Amino acid sequence: MMEKSRHTRQLAVSLLFGLWFPCCLSQTTAPSRASVALTPSAAPQQLKVRLAGYPRKHNEGRIELFYKGEWGTICDDDFSIANANVLCRQLGFVSATGWTHSAKYGNGQGKIWLDNVLCNGGEKSIDLCKSRGWGNSDCTHDEDAGVVCKDERIPGFVDSNIIDAQVDEKKVEEVRLRPVVGTARRKLPITEGVVEVKHKDGWAQICDVGWTVKNTRVVCGMLGFPHERKVNKNFYKLYLERQKNLYLLRSVACLGSEVHLAACPLEFNRPNATATCAGGMPVVVSCMPGPLFMQNSSLKKKVKVSSNVRLKGGARLGEGRVEVLKDNEWGTVCDDRWSLLSASVVCRELGFGSAKEALTGARMGQGMGPIYMNEVKCVGNEKSIWNCPFKNITAEDCQHMEDAAVRCNIPYMGLENSETWYWDSSNVTEMVMSGVKCTGSEMALSQCQHHKTVNCQKAAAKFSAGVICSETASDLVLNASLVEQTVYIEDRPLHMLYCAAEEDCLSKSAAKANWPYGHRRLLRFSSQIHNIGRADFKPKAGRHSWVWHACHGHYHSMDVFTHYDLLNANGSKVAEGHKASFCLEDTECQEGVSKRYECANFGDQGITVGCWDLYRHDIDCQWLDITDVKPGNYIMQVVINPNYEVAESDFTNNGMKCNCKYDGHRIWLHNCHIGDAFSEEAEKRFEKYPGQINNRIS
């Protein structure tokens, strides 16, 4: 009522002024709301939108828009759920559930960019809605509008609600370490040197009077280093006294938890004054790199990184979904109140620098299994995220669509000057590498295993390797508990297995059977394969090359989609099977996600992000032929996309293993888990299950 009456009073006043002072009204710089002409506001090609304020969850907050190099807010006058729907979709959420007025999430700063916004709800961007125009407002920040978005992401939406430093980088545009020692200049990463900040067309220094170790920690963090170390100032003093120095900053007062120097209180020298540093010299710092970036192999062994925190699903080194280890099982972190401070603690304990971005809304894909933490509140100096205050999770608190992620600062290694071109190979004259076999964690191809001598025809253009890079990829994971719940044995008559034999779904001894008499003993189970990545999983081959199988009446889009194996004590296969992708489709999807792929009528095949493909236990080839297997203890293994034919953001979770007990009549599976779900210690115990020695997925 208060909001409504406020608008009524303002409207009445505006009408009175319009009647009494028409000439004055035409000259006013802030026209009244009754007379303003509302039109769509032209904006940059892609308007940046973010949520801000406190306290809030990741899917709600004060709306801020980036226009003409500056973040600003929206006034709540005439705001509606239609406006909120447009903004939430721009942020990657499916819709809005509500909106807020009167600066519920705190007062913003700077410009109020839009006022009297009127959307119909179908616009693709808020700047396409009618409004007073950019920067034309008579509101204060007490009237900042906010939105509450439905906590479901638009499938495949790349941009997301990123929590970044939000600092004025115009103050400190760029920071570097300038090495002084000749040998240090040739080694990367540069870990010690003079701290310099970009200034106009050159570089300037910082006066070290009053410089603290907290300042050093911030500089090292933003340059990709987890720790700082003492530096011998006397070593540099004589050299630097002979240099001509330009002191841009004379005082820096960081707390040590900032992620960027520009976030610290800074005192600049006056532009026209002679910049001096009385009693001091340029700041020199020394940083300790993480193990991945150390040149000294003996030092690598001494520096330890966390063994109970990891990053998964990222496209680059130093980014990914945050996962933590508890009771020997990996789980995720909910993004409620996820911040740069908490993200930086994770980055540093993993051997990287401070956090560049804290990511919400499962930006690096959804995890599987438990969610262990919620509302993590680090202050920034903790050794581990486990030392930070947090809430334990209940079933109602969070879902995996709220998994937190990070992007960490990493040192400059100069590798991009060497990562690789992709071009028409008709003019190839020389091969430089062959036999390349990477694990996926290397920073450059040169770090991968490869032939010492190039083993390839010198100018065989058709053998040239190429890549197509992408920021996003699919990530397939098997529902391990469903396998355990649905397993059983069936003795199936041979006369019902002709199609299966044609598709090579039986063991080799089946060829010697007395067809159509007798039977095969089959270990049956259901497979539910989820795409928890950030891009749809599609077959490598286009539909023009799919193979029609008349016996089953369907197309195979991939020759081998899954391997099924039963391993004995030595890790040798005692039974094996494979599953062609004779129908990759969206069987079901999580709420808010629409199905895109259906095999019927030669339709497109694939698995949408947030959907899963279900192969029921009662369809052909969904089994292991164990006719020749003797009673005993085994390990059952399932591997999805075993030949790596389709790109995924993470292949370590493509395998699933179960302990298996077979008494000749019945079968039991237990401890079913995806390949990277357990700690190393728990995995070793699993492999020592009676009689087991070595069963690693090759």
Side-chain angles (χ1 to χ4, degrees):
M1 279 303 284
M2 289 180 66
E3 184 73 11
K4 186 176 179 181
S5 62
R6 185 184 71 163
H7 284 288
T8 304
R9 288 199 303 272
Q10 290 169 337
L11 182 61
V13 171
S14 298
L15 287 170
L16 286 171
F17 272 94
L19 291 169
W20 294 343
F21 305 110
C23 59
C24 297
L25 184 67
S26 64
Q27 296 172 7
T28 183
T29 55
S32 71
R33 292 164 198 190
S35 62
V36 70
L38 302 180
T39 58
S41 304
Q45 290 181 349
Q46 186 175 6
L47 183 66
K48 290 183 181 178
V49 185
R50 73 181 181 190
L51 297 176
Y54 188 84
R56 68 182 183 91
K57 296 183 73 171
H58 71 279
N59 58 320
E60 62 179 321
R62 180 178 63 247
I63 282 291
E64 296 190 351
L65 309 174
F66 192 73
Y67 180 68
K68 287 190 174 178
E70 187 177 348
W71 287 100
T73 62
I74 300 179
C75 181
D76 61 12
D77 291 343
D78 295 331
F79 208 83
S80 67
I81 192 67
N83 298 359
N85 272 319
V86 172
L87 287 161
C88 285
R89 285 197 300 272
Q90 276 189 267
L91 288 162
F93 298 95
V94 293
S95 63
T97 58
W99 62 277
T100 65
H101 58 82
S102 306
K104 178 184 174 182
Y105 300 103
N107 291 14
Q109 294 181 335
K111 300 280 190 181
I112 298 175
W113 279 128
L114 294 177
D115 190 5
N116 296 105
V117 180
L118 296 173
C119 302
N120 61 34
E123 294 87 350
K124 291 186 177 180
S125 177
I126 196 71
D127 60 290
L128 299 177
C129 303
K130 292 181 179 179
S131 73
R132 282 172 168 260
W134 288 100
N136 188 357
S137 172
D138 56 3
C139 297
T140 68
H141 281 297
D142 289 330
E143 303 168 75
D144 284 342
V147 296
V148 181
C149 302
K150 188 175 182 181
D151 198 3
E152 290 179 15
R153 304 292 299 162
I154 296 172
F157 193 89
V158 176
D159 293 324
S160 185
N161 185 22
I162 299 172
I163 305 167
D164 59 19
Q166 297 187 14
V167 296
D168 184 2
E169 294 196 11
K170 292 177 184 175
K171 291 182 182 177
V172 179
E173 183 181 348
E174 191 178 339
V175 179
R176 74 175 185 183
L177 284 186
R178 177 169 60 86
V180 172
V181 183
T183 54
R185 294 174 190 170
R186 295 192 294 269
K187 291 182 179 179
L188 290 175
I190 295 169
T191 59
E192 183 174 303
V194 180
V195 178
E196 297 189 326
V197 294
K198 193 76 184 291
H199 180 59
K200 296 181 179 177
D201 295 328
W203 294 87
Q205 292 76 44
I206 304 172
C207 180
D208 73 346
V209 175
W211 185 264
T212 68
V213 70
K214 291 180 180 178
N215 297 342
T216 302
R217 177 176 170 83
V218 173
V219 170
C220 289
M222 66 183 293
L223 293 176
F225 304 110
H227 308 294
E228 66 284 350
R229 54 189 173 190
K230 287 185 179 180
V231 64
N232 184 355
K233 287 176 61 174
N234 293 330
F235 177 80
Y236 289 89
K237 191 170 185 180
L238 187 61
Y239 170 82
L240 292 173
E241 282 177 348
R242 296 199 298 260
Q243 301 293 310
K244 185 179 179 181
N245 298 306
L246 172 64
Y247 293 102
L248 181 67
L249 290 167
R250 64 181 178 191
S251 176
V252 179
C254 300
L255 297 174
S257 57
E258 296 89 346
V259 298
H260 197 287
L261 199 63
C264 303
L266 306 174
E267 190 177 345
F268 289 80
N269 279 312
R270 291 195 299 272
N272 298 327
T274 304
T276 60
C277 181
M281 59 182 250
V283 167
V284 178
V285 303
S286 182
C287 304
M288 173 72 80
L292 283 173
F293 308 99
M294 284 182 176
Q295 304 291 342
N296 189 330
S297 56
S298 61
L299 197 58
K300 281 185 184 181
K301 297 175 182 176
K302 295 180 182 178
V303 180
K304 294 183 178 179
V305 296
S306 177
S307 59
N308 57 9
V309 179
R310 69 183 184 186
L311 301 182
K312 299 287 284 186
R316 299 183 183 87
L317 187 67
E319 68 176 31
R321 178 177 62 252
V322 179
E323 296 192 351
V324 293
L325 187 66
K326 180 181 178 183
D327 298 330
N328 288 313
E329 187 175 4
W330 290 97
T332 61
V333 176
C334 187
D335 62 10
D336 291 351
R337 302 205 175 183
W338 187 239
S339 69
L340 278 167
L341 292 175
S342 300
S344 288
V345 171
V346 169
C347 289
R348 288 182 187 270
E349 72 174 303
L350 290 173
F352 306 112
S354 52
K356 186 161 41 177
E357 294 169 352
L359 304 167
T360 63
R363 175 69 186 268
M364 294 294 176
Q366 297 183 26
M368 296 283 280
I371 304 173
Y372 288 132
M373 294 180 170
N374 189 18
E375 297 193 20
V376 181
K377 298 176 186 174
C378 302
V379 297
N381 58 9
E382 296 88 348
K383 300 279 189 194
S384 171
I385 190 174
W386 285 106
N387 301 134
C388 304
F390 66 89
K391 285 186 178 179
N392 290 315
I393 291 291
T394 61
E396 304 82 43
D397 283 339
C398 290
Q399 299 176 20
H400 281 297
M401 63 181 68
E402 301 172 75
D403 285 342
V406 297
R407 278 204 180 102
C408 306
N409 287 311
I410 64 171
Y412 173 74
M413 300 296 289
L415 295 171
E416 60 270 27
N417 296 332
S418 58
E419 306 302 42
T420 303
W421 296 276
Y422 181 50
W423 76 102
D424 176 14
S425 61
S426 59
N427 61 347
V428 171
T429 57
E430 185 181 6
M431 295 290 181
V432 294
M433 293 180 80
S434 66
V436 180
K437 191 173 183 180
C438 303
T439 63
S441 60
E442 297 86 354
M443 288 182 280
L445 278 179
S446 58
Q447 298 176 358
C448 299
Q449 180 183 332
H450 59 276
H451 293 154
K452 290 183 179 179
T453 304
V454 177
N455 183 18
C456 207
Q457 296 178 33
K458 190 171 183 180
K462 65 180 181 181
F463 297 123
S464 300
V467 296
I468 298 175
C469 300
S470 173
E471 283 286 326
T472 59
S474 58
D475 187 13
L476 299 188
V477 177
L478 188 68
N479 184 338
S481 60
L482 184 66
V483 174
E484 194 168 322
Q485 293 163 13
T486 56
V487 68
Y488 65 96
I489 287 176
E490 179 193 11
D491 289 333
R492 193 163 183 82
L494 284 173
H495 68 83
M496 299 176 70
L497 292 171
Y498 280 103
C499 281
E502 183 183 306
E503 295 192 4
D504 199 25
C505 295
L506 302 174
S507 61
K508 293 176 182 177
S509 64
K512 301 174 184 176
N514 185 22
W515 292 77
Y517 308 105
H519 66 271
R520 304 298 293 179
R521 176 157 286 189
L522 308 176
L523 188 161
R524 282 187 171 275
F525 55 93
S526 295
S527 290
Q528 190 181 78
I529 299 168
H530 293 246
N531 183 359
I532 63 171
R534 294 188 286 148
D536 294 355
F537 183 93
K538 296 180 181 179
K540 179 182 178 181
R543 65 169 68 198
H544 62 280
S545 59
W546 294 352
V547 178
W548 172 256
H549 279 249
C551 194
H552 279 132
H554 55 240
Y555 283 94
H556 285 190
S557 56
M558 293 173 67
D559 288 337
V560 179
F561 179 55
T562 317
H563 277 168
Y564 306 142
D565 300 310
L566 201 63
L567 309 173
N568 67 7
N570 299 320
S572 302
K573 296 177 183 178
V574 295
E576 63 181 349
H578 78 274
K579 184 74 170 159
S581 62
F582 58 64
C583 181
L584 271 179
E585 66 177 2
D586 297 326
T587 308
E588 293 291 342
C589 301
Q590 63 191 38
E591 187 180 352
V593 179
S594 300
K595 298 179 182 179
R596 294 182 181 178
Y597 302 102
E598 187 176 6
C599 297
N601 302 317
F602 198 35
D604 282 340
Q605 292 197 23
I607 306 177
T608 304
V609 175
C611 299
W612 55 90
D613 189 5
L614 176 65
Y615 288 95
R616 284 176 51 89
H617 55 84
D618 54 0
I619 64 174
D620 260 8
C621 298
Q622 186 58 37
W623 62 56
L624 270 164
D625 184 350
I626 60 169
T627 307
D628 308 318
V629 175
K630 297 176 181 178
N633 296 317
Y634 301 95
I635 283 182
M636 178 183 163
Q637 174 178 285
V638 177
V639 185
I640 309 165
N641 191 16
N643 299 329
Y644 311 119
E645 289 186 9
V646 178
E648 296 189 47
S649 59
D650 186 1
F651 286 109
T652 62
N653 58 12
N654 281 36
M656 184 221 70
K657 294 185 281 188
C658 303
N659 288 134
C660 177
K661 182 178 178 64
Y662 175 48
D663 68 0
H665 305 284
R666 296 167 296 176
I667 202 155
W668 296 266
L669 295 182
H670 56 282
N671 285 338
C672 291
H673 63 283
I674 56 176
D676 64 347
F678 286 179
S679 67
E680 286 187 24
E681 180 185 346
E683 196 64 31
K684 286 176 182 176
R685 286 202 301 269
F686 173 89
E687 292 176 357
K688 287 180 180 177
Y689 180 70
Q692 301 305 318
I693 298 173
N694 176 19
N695 67 307
R696 294 195 179 278
I697 298 173
S698 58

